Structures are given as C-alpha cells and as structure tokens.
Amino acid sequence: MPAGLAYLDWNATAPVRPEAAAAMAQALALCGNPSSVHRAGREARRLLERARADVAALVGAVADEVVFTSGGTEANILALRAFPERRLAVSAIEHNSVLANVPDAPRIPASRDGAIDLSALERWLGADRRPALVSLMLANNETGAIQPVAEAARLVHAHGALLHCDAVQGAGKLPVDIRQLGCDLLTLSAHKLGGPMGVGALVVSADLDPMPLIRGGGQERNRRAGTENLPGICGFGATARLAAAERQSWRAVAVMRDDAERRLTAIALDAVIYAAAAPRLPNTICVAMPRVPASTQVMALDLAGVMVSAGAACSSGKVRRSHVLDAMDVPEADAECAIRISLGRTTTAAEVDQLIEAWGTLYARTRASAA
Ligand code: PLP
C-alpha cells in the first residue's frame, strides 16, 4: 500500500501475498493443460494437485474432497444446487451469494448478538421429515460474528439433513477443521486469504455425490467442468499453505482491533459496535456513528487516506441497507450509519492511529455542525 494510506478493508479483499504471486507467475510460465497426458500436462497436473492438497490441509480435508471453482460465489451456488431433491433453508445473515440464489428458501433468523437462532433452526428441521440441506456461514462478513456451526451440524445431522458452511471469511483467520465443524460442504475463496480473485473451492465430504453446476469436460472429477484456472489455483495453494502455518498472527490483530474499538468509543460515546458481545473474527469492527450516514463516513475516511466499507460492500459501489443488521433488529436509522472496518495480518499501529484520527475529526465536525 502506498505510504500514507491505511487499507482497513480486508474482509472485502486481502492484499495478494508475494508467495501467491510467485506461484501464479510460475504456473503462467508453464504451457500445459492439467488434463493432457504428455509431460507438459503432467507437470501442470502436479502443480494443480499440490495446490489441492494445500487447500484441503487448511481445513482438515483430504485433497479429493476439494472442487476448485471461480470463487466463493460459485462454490456457494454449487453447494445450494447440489442436492435438488432436498428442501433448503439458509440463515438470514448469509452473504448475498447465498441469499440471492435461493430467494424462496426459508430464512432462519438471527438473534440480536448476530448469531443464528438454533432453536428456530431446530423447529424448522423438526417441522418436516423430508431430507434437507441447511446453509450457515462460519463468520459473518459484516459483523465478524462467529456462528455456532458445530452445534448446528449436530442438530442438522440428528434430523438426517446436510450442512453447508460458507467459510469464506473465517478460513485463515480462525482454525477451521471440516470434521470438527461437522459440516458436509464448505466454501472457500482465495482472495480473502491473500490469494488471487476469481478462485475458490467447494470442499465436499467424500461420501457425497453433488450434482454439478457446470457440465462439459470431466475436470474436477466431473464436479465442475472447464479447464482449471491453474495460475489462480496455484496462488490459492500457496496462500493456503502460509495461512495454515501462521494462525498465531491473528492474535496480535485481535489486540489491535480491541484497542481500536476502545479508542473509537472513547471519542464517540454514542457509537455502537455491533455483535460486540458475540465471539467474533479477530479483525472485524462493525460500528455506527449515529446520525452520520455510512457513505459520508466512508468518503470522509477515504479523503483522510483510510479505506473502509459501508456495511455490506456492493459491487455497484452503492450502499444498500444491511440485511445482516436488519436480521439483528438494529433500527434502520442506526444501521444506515454503520461502517465495517476490517484489519489484517500486516495492519500496523500507525494505520489504526490514522483511522482514529480521521474518525475523531469527522465526529467533532459533525457534532459541531449539529450544535
Ligand atoms: N461469502 C462470503 C461470506 C463473502 O464475504 C464473500 C465475499 O465477500 C463471498 C462469499 C463471495 O466470494 P467471492 O468474492 O470469491 O465470490
């Protein structure tokens, strides 16, 4: 990041790690289709399978369970469409890549602390004996609230259902083991981990036979057709390997995040931090400066060189009402003033100072003009 700028939007995307870029460059320099049987093809296949093993190891899976996709969005859709005979429910706080693709699926509500309501899930499961699929994320992208996935998995399995977990935000920042979580399908995205955009994976438990979303060649063991994005996948593998080795570094991020929250709320006594009481990702702050629209805050912070998001980042750059804060019963007027600050592995104390300074200046200015 150029000097003087503080990038505090890691939940939107993380900077590409040099090791990932190097692995991508190595794959780009190679000519060979992983499906070809000649030596160039075999070398491409070797790199592909190494990346598959690295991605699997990050989440305690075995390599054959990893299906590479074009990102977290495609992996989520693949999971949701994998078992068309099953009835489907999703939590109300899922990412739009889940919600927008299953408009008719029942939404399992969340409580005010930002976690899914397990008794509502149990009621939904018990209301119908047909086999089901439930989708519940590991950690919310807006608030960072960690979801009770293992408990949900126990309930879901007790009713003969399957659990899909969107672990896009949790993987790398939290220890993730698909067996301990007990989920049957798990979504990952490379760019949230310091890999490239446009690559992800659906980890599919070995005993399942999901219906493919994209048919064609027999790639990915007939689960996702299309020549694999080898450079992207190699970048994904390299960053997964690093992420698996350095989970400790997120402890320091949590300390910095807690310090930032203390300072933000000391400046703005009326500021509200959402999901503050819930177990959360170590890096995420969802905070409202009451009566100052999120878009105003984002622009003012950007002018001061600090990059954050307004609630859910939307591809058009427009700020939409947050369905997550809605599900948590946050009054609309407060939700419209919520921004998301997300720190990362390389965030410095100086960047946090820059945030606090810019936030303090904006707060003083808006309160003075209101007086
Ligand atoms: N799921 C969650 C929780 C996310 O935060 C995102 C991206 O913001 C996605 C899925 C989509 O991932 P991708 O950008 O790789 O399509």
Side-chain angles (χ1 to χ4, degrees):
M1 204 44 65
L5 295 181
Y7 182 75
L8 301 178
D9 202 11
W10 285 62
N11 285 12
T13 197
V16 174
R17 304 191 66 153
E19 294 86 347
M24 293 174 76
Q26 185 198 3
L28 274 172
L30 198 90
C31 172
N33 183 322
S35 299
S36 299
V37 291
H38 49 62
R39 72 190 61 201
R42 289 200 303 276
E43 178 56 9
R45 166 70 52 188
R46 190 183 65 77
L47 295 184
L48 178 68
E49 296 312 326
R50 179 173 177 210
R52 195 186 306 280
D54 287 332
V55 169
L58 176 66
V59 296
V62 296
D64 280 352
E65 294 178 309
V66 173
V67 180
F68 286 116
T69 65
S70 67
T73 298
E74 187 194 318
N76 280 344
I77 302 171
L78 175 58
L80 296 166
R81 305 255 193 278
F83 305 99
E85 71 287 1
R86 288 179 177 263
R87 63 196 185 101
L88 186 64
V90 301
S91 94
I93 57 162
E94 293 303 299
H95 188 262
N96 272 326
S97 56
V98 168
L99 296 181
N101 286 293
V102 288
D104 299 329
R107 275 39 175 168
I108 307 295
S111 49
R112 280 167 187 266
D113 65 359
I116 187 181
D117 177 347
L118 286 174
S119 38
L121 172 63
E122 193 167 17
R123 279 196 299 279
W124 181 81
L125 287 162
D128 189 326
R129 295 170 69 90
R130 285 173 299 161
L133 171 67
V134 173
S135 188
L136 173 63
M137 65 196 339
L138 179 55
N140 184 264
N141 45 303
E142 292 182 43
T143 63
I146 297 170
Q147 302 302 308
V149 174
E151 289 90 325
R154 277 192 284 279
L155 284 178
V156 160
H157 291 152
H159 287 84
L162 297 175
L163 184 68
H164 163 245
C165 177
D166 173 350
V168 163
Q169 292 291 344
K173 299 172 191 146
L174 302 171
V176 177
D177 184 304
I178 190 167
R179 317 274 174 237
Q180 276 174 18
L181 284 176
C183 52
D184 305 283
L185 304 137
L186 182 131
T187 292
L188 296 169
S189 172
H191 74 103
K192 310 288 184 181
L193 290 166
M197 295 172 183
V199 193
L202 183 68
V203 183
V204 182
S205 179
D207 53 335
L208 295 176
D209 187 18
M211 192 181 84
L213 192 63
I214 300 175
R215 296 169 199 270
Q219 292 91 350
E220 298 298 291
R221 302 169 75 228
N222 292 314
R223 291 171 172 195
R224 200 275 188 183
T227 301
E228 291 89 348
N229 168 7
L230 187 66
I233 289 171
C234 288
F236 189 6
T239 203
R241 198 158 52 243
L242 292 168
E246 62 189 19
R247 293 212 179 93
Q248 297 297 328
S249 59
W250 290 93
R251 292 239 171 98
V253 175
V255 170
M256 219 181 298
R257 189 272 311 270
D258 292 346
D259 172 59
E261 286 189 351
R262 263 192 303 276
R263 293 164 71 191
L264 291 170
T265 49
I267 291 170
L269 295 178
D270 52 348
V272 189
I273 295 185
Y274 296 107
R280 266 184 302 159
L281 290 176
N283 74 321
T284 307
I285 304 172
C286 181
V287 60
M289 185 189 282
R291 302 191 303 286
V292 184
S295 54
T296 305
Q297 295 179 56
V298 170
M299 282 187 280
L301 293 177
D302 190 36
L303 285 172
V306 180
M307 289 167 267
V308 301
S309 277
C314 170
S315 54
S316 61
K318 278 192 260 148
V319 180
R320 259 180 320 194
R321 223 174 120 178
S322 159
H323 66 273
V324 175
L325 297 182
D326 251 3
M328 290 165 64
D329 256 353
V330 173
E332 191 180 335
D334 292 340
E336 283 169 0
C337 299
I339 59 169
R340 179 187 69 188
I341 302 162
S342 49
L343 317 187
R345 228 179 4 84
T346 57
T347 299
T348 61
E351 287 179 298
V352 172
D353 290 348
Q354 195 174 338
L355 162 74
I356 303 296
E357 168 83 29
W359 163 275
T361 305
L362 174 66
Y363 187 73
R365 199 175 68 224
T366 55
R367 291 326 187 231
S369 62

